[in-house]
Amino acid sequence: MTETTEAPRLRWTRGRPGETLDVNRPVVKAIGRLIKAGEREEIRRLLRTWHPRDIVELLVQLPLKRARKLFLVLPAGPAAKVIAGLNNDFRGALLEDATIERLAEILDGRDAEDVVQVLTELPDEVQERLIPHLREADAIRELKAYQEDSAGSIMTRKLVAVPPVWSVGQVVAEVRRRADWIKKLSAVYVVDTDRKLLGYLKLRDLLLRPSDIPVEQVMRTDLVSVSSDMDQEEVVRVTTENDLITVPVVDAEGRLLGRITADELQRVVRDEAEEDVRLLSGVSPDARPNDPVLGIVKNRLPWLLAGLVGALVSGSVINAYEAQIAAAAILASFIPIVMSMAGNAGIQAATVAIQGLAAGTLWIGDLPWRLAKEMLAAVLNGSIAALILAAIVFVAGPLVGVADPLRLALTAGVALTLVTLLAVTMGAAVPLILHHFRIDPAMATGIFITTGNDIIAVLVFFLVASLLYL
């Protein structure tokens, strides 16, 4: 008689808050072996009771090749929820091998807004082939028609809009009827027969007002709305300034189109921060961790070449002072010091300026006082650093055979102070100026400010050295 043993039931065991996922490594390895062996039904059985959030964590832990195979095995329902829980980069990588039929099976029946978010991570040709297979094709095309990163492209049409002649009791009944569809609701909008936005009701208004009172008598008219073509970064600024958790979106005639939820606003903040980090690092905003080699080259090479041009200019400046370096070779040792100081000071000032612009606390009119404050701080910081450097030069100069250590110390100190002042001025001013001309201020940082400051630093240093030391 042969005994058969059932494969063990595996569960994803969560650790305590802050605990690593190493405790689940046996689960990952076991399911990885099942994927490799092609045990599709066993995998489905094991994951049948898992929460989509746990499946997301499992996918992240698996190698990408096996994660793709696991995703193709999941039933359409769980797969759709898993897609919603993935970040954009990993979603794009995961769906790379999915067929049109499989994608249609997963996305069909989902809200148009959710589908559009997934579609943005797919190649254009895949989108065009996939959309006709979806029941919400017309709504999806309508949303995709909005400019990328605009309010219209990130809004949801899940809302409650009522006429002003309704009673509070009718509105409450409508909210209850749509509760399962909308999930989260913080306001009910009041519109006329042409769907023009007139006002809104907070949920507390519905709870505290008599059920027979007309909406037009209790609705709030202190409306803050955004146009469908407003940039999503500007939307975040408007909602932050007005302390809003959601904001209605209207067209040019003031007709209500949808609303932008708190979750979507948080996503925009996160995406904009990630884009700025890429620009700060001299990387294209379109770069993704799963980019192929040629994609990496395409996204990074232009920025590297821009840095190369700047480095060539810096080298030309140094070469122009070849005679001075030959006369006093000690000067060459200060070149990396002033370049590093300029780059760091400029990046610090630019980063603070960009954060202020993103938060809506800075604008072009702030440039004079902003520059005055930054320049004062730069003089103090530069002077302190210059005194330290000058002291080191004065003490160490005689030990390395410097003929006039006092004059060299003075040269190094003055040059470092001036370089810091100029770098901070450039770092604080350029983002504000670019923002005024509707250019992403993050482009002012990274390679451009660092390279520009390198050139200025070398030029200023040799000018000061020529006047004070040579």
Side-chain angles (χ1 to χ4, degrees), residues 11-90:
R11 284 193 311 152
W12 188 270
T13 54
R14 289 184 172 274
R16 293 183 297 276
E19 187 175 346
T20 65
L21 296 177
D22 291 342
V23 294
N24 299 312
R25 184 58 57 187
V27 179
V28 177
K29 289 183 177 179
I31 293 182
R33 287 193 294 268
L34 291 175
I35 295 171
K36 185 177 180 180
E39 299 287 347
R40 301 166 65 94
E41 292 304 320
E42 178 64 12
I43 293 170
R44 287 196 181 99
R45 184 180 69 82
L46 292 174
L47 302 184
R48 189 178 299 127
T49 58
W50 282 33
H51 191 281
R53 180 179 59 248
D54 297 326
I55 298 177
V56 168
E57 292 182 356
L58 173 61
L59 288 168
V60 172
Q61 293 288 314
L62 286 168
L64 181 58
K65 186 176 180 180
R66 291 187 180 177
R68 286 170 175 163
K69 290 182 178 180
L70 174 62
F71 183 76
L72 294 174
V73 170
L74 294 176
K81 294 179 180 178
V82 167
I83 282 182
L86 296 173
N87 67 49
N88 293 344
D89 291 337
F90 190 65

Side-chain angles (χ1 to χ4, degrees), residues 326-360:
I330 188 66
L331 293 176
S333 62
F334 290 95
I335 295 174
I337 297 175
V338 295
M339 291 175 69
S340 175
M341 191 71 177
N344 290 335
I347 287 293
Q348 287 175 348
T351 301
V352 173
I354 290 169
Q355 289 175 340
L357 289 169

